[in-house]
């Protein structure tokens, strides 16, 4: 047996030491770190807040910054609305609607991928996208134009959304099923989404390892919802396809490192063994980002994409219903 760093100096490695070495060298499943590696930069001390800046303890990109802030947001939410109270709200909420069924029905009736249209006011990169933002009016215009489902941004700090927008849209009589689009890291958010009227949730593979994806997907299904599991890379897609219970697979055409967008990210991922597996398993693929025109829709439809998620290119238009109809033209 050889000497190694995991064993006391001068001693040979045991099998346990080898396992320790392998674990320490294992590549993490996710590319987005869930927490600051050295803990929160700001720590409370009575009425004072002390901040300690540690090298390497800053977010590497905007997505990581958003995910780290979720701890702060969730702590506040749980204090204002304890889980026991939230669960009571879930019990009296109207039943969830069939999100996947709505997409498939629209695809069957139109011959085009079902549209998940996004109710979105702002983004970290673009700032305010729609100044005159009325979530109910936008949702109704999407539905009038022919959207199958709606995606509602609920992140407050970075996207100026809110969970109350789900409730407003649902209570206004909009029939389209609703996706809660947030950066979900905790089951509390799943319960909150259902209590506010969501029929589906977004789970991001870059943020969540498979164990968490499986747990949160199961939690959603127990509440009658479905999870849209989003991937950005071939590595993430390969990992996610190891899960048994996947109904919706989102392929985001945005590169998380430089935020460039390329529709052929979806084309490349679907044009191979993983694409074959998706089709064999009957998983509905949702194309995300970079969809601006009917020609873009056709590129994705030609490789087997069954639904598309579109926000900015429609929501910023003056006539949203017409924008939907223009996008959903056959070419």
């Amino acid at each position: 047996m050889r000497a190694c760093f995991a064993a006391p100096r001068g001693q040979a490695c045991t099998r346990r030491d080898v396992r320790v070495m392998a674990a320490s060298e294992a590549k993490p499943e996710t590319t987005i770190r869930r927490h600051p590696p050295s803990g929160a930069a700001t720590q409370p001390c009575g009425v004072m807040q002390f901040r300690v800046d540690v090298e390497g303890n800053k977010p590497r990109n905007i997505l990581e910054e958003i995910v780290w802030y979720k701890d702060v947001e969730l702590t506040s939410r749980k204090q204002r609305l304890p889980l026991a109270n939230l669960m009571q709200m879930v019990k009296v909420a109207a039943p969830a609607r069939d999100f996947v069924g709505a997409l498939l029905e629209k695809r069957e009736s139109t011959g085009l991928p079902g549209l998940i249209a996004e109710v979105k006011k702002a983004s970290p990169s673009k700032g305010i996208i729609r100044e005159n933002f009325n979530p109910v009016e936008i949702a109704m215009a999407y539905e009038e134009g022919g959207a199958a489902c709606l995606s509602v941004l609920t992140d407050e700090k970075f996207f100026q959304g809110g969970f109350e927008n789900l409730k407003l849209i649902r209570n206004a009589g909009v029939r389209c099923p609703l996706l809660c689009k947030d950066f979900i890291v905790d089951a509390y958010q799943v319960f909150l989404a259902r209590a506010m009227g969501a029929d589906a949730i977004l789970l991001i593979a870059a943020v969540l390892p498979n164990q968490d994806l499986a747990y949160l997907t199961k939690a959603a299904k127990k509440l009658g919802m479905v999870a849209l599991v989003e991937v950005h890379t071939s590595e993430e897609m390969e990992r996610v396809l190891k899960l048994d219970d996947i109904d919706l697979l989102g392929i985001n055409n945005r590169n998380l490192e430089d935020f460039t967008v390329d529709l052929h990210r979806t084309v490349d991922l679907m044009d191979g063994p993983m694409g074959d597996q998706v089709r064999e398993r009957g998983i509905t693929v949702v194309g995300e980002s970079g969809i601006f025109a009917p020609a873009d829709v056709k590129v994705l439809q030609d490789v087997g994409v069954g639904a598309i998620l579109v926000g900015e290119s429609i929501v910023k238009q003056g006539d949203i219903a017409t924008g939907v109809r223009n996008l959903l033209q056959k070419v």
Side-chain angles (χ1 to χ4, degrees):
M1 295 171 60
R2 60 187 179 86
C4 68
F5 74 88
R9 189 170 185 177
Q11 295 185 17
C13 275
T14 65
R15 289 184 179 178
R16 177 184 177 280
D17 295 328
V18 172
R19 288 197 298 270
V20 169
M21 290 171 64
S24 66
E25 296 172 359
K27 184 179 178 180
E29 284 188 67
T30 60
T31 55
I32 301 300
R33 298 173 298 178
R34 175 67 184 81
H35 305 280
S38 300
T42 303
Q43 299 290 345
C45 181
V47 296
M48 304 294 291
Q49 291 282 336
F50 288 99
R51 182 177 181 87
V52 179
D53 291 320
V54 179
E55 186 176 352
N57 209 41
K58 295 181 179 179
R60 295 176 294 196
N61 53 48
I62 185 61
L63 183 52
E64 205 163 75
E65 182 179 355
I66 294 169
V67 169
W68 290 5
Y69 186 74
K70 287 299 164 184
D71 283 339
V72 178
E73 180 184 301
L74 281 166
T75 298
S76 176
R77 281 194 180 278
K78 290 175 181 179
Q79 289 173 348
R80 299 194 311 265
L81 180 61
L83 181 60
N85 295 9
L86 176 59
M87 295 305 294
Q88 288 301 316
M89 293 171 60
V90 171
K91 287 180 181 179
V92 300
R97 291 164 292 191
D98 186 355
F99 194 91
V100 177
L103 292 173
L104 297 179
E105 182 179 339
K106 187 67 74 170
R107 184 176 66 180
E108 182 69 23
S109 65
T110 65
L112 291 167
L115 172 63
I116 307 170
E118 195 152 86
V119 180
K120 181 178 185 179
K121 179 179 180 179
S123 75
S125 59
K126 299 294 179 65
I128 300 294
I129 297 170
R130 188 174 181 87
E131 290 282 356
N132 183 22
F133 182 78
N134 184 313
V136 172
E137 288 182 1
I138 292 169
M140 288 181 169
Y142 279 145
E143 186 168 71
E144 179 189 344
C149 300
L150 305 181
S151 166
V152 182
L153 261 296
T154 55
D155 177 85
E156 294 180 3
K157 180 176 180 179
F158 297 91
F159 289 85
Q160 300 188 35
F163 278 89
E164 67 276 5
N165 289 342
L166 287 165
K167 188 174 183 180
L168 288 171
I169 294 169
R170 181 88 185 224
N171 289 347
V174 173
R175 297 181 300 278
C176 289
L178 306 179
L179 168 74
C180 172
K181 189 171 184 183
D182 208 318
F183 301 84
I184 291 178
V185 294
D186 190 299
Y188 182 95
Q189 295 163 287
V190 180
F191 298 130
L192 183 58
R194 180 77 282 274
M196 292 297 178
D199 309 291
I201 59 169
L202 175 71
L203 301 177
I204 303 174
V207 175
L208 300 165
N210 270 20
Q211 183 176 0
D212 290 347
L213 289 173
Y215 170 70
L216 294 169
T217 297
K218 185 176 181 180
K221 287 208 166 189
K222 283 200 169 186
L223 297 174
M225 297 191 293
V226 66
L228 168 58
V229 181
E230 177 182 286
V231 301
H232 296 79
T233 65
S234 59
E235 291 81 8
E236 289 175 3
M237 186 166 170
E238 182 178 10
R239 169 166 66 87
V240 164
L241 288 176
K242 293 177 182 177
L243 299 171
D244 295 326
D245 212 7
I246 299 294
D247 297 304
L248 284 175
L249 177 69
I251 301 179
N252 198 318
N253 296 301
R254 191 177 304 278
N255 185 316
L256 291 183
E257 294 183 2
D258 58 17
F259 292 93
T260 56
V261 176
D262 182 2
L263 279 181
H264 284 85
R265 181 179 297 268
T266 296
V267 175
D268 293 342
L269 290 177
M270 289 296 291
D271 187 22
M274 289 190 293
D276 293 338
Q277 184 183 161
V278 165
R279 287 181 280 270
E280 288 169 5
R281 291 172 60 177
I283 298 171
T284 299
V285 176
V286 181
E288 305 174 24
S289 298
I291 304 165
F292 296 94
D296 300 327
V297 178
K298 187 175 188 307
V299 167
L300 299 179
Q301 184 177 14
D302 286 348
V303 294
V305 168
I308 52 174
L309 194 156
V310 183
E312 180 185 337
S313 67
I314 305 175
V315 77
K316 67 183 181 182
Q317 296 186 32
D319 187 338
I320 289 176
T322 298
V324 172
R325 295 188 192 101
N326 290 340
L327 180 67
L328 297 179
Q329 292 180 359
K330 291 185 178 180
V331 292

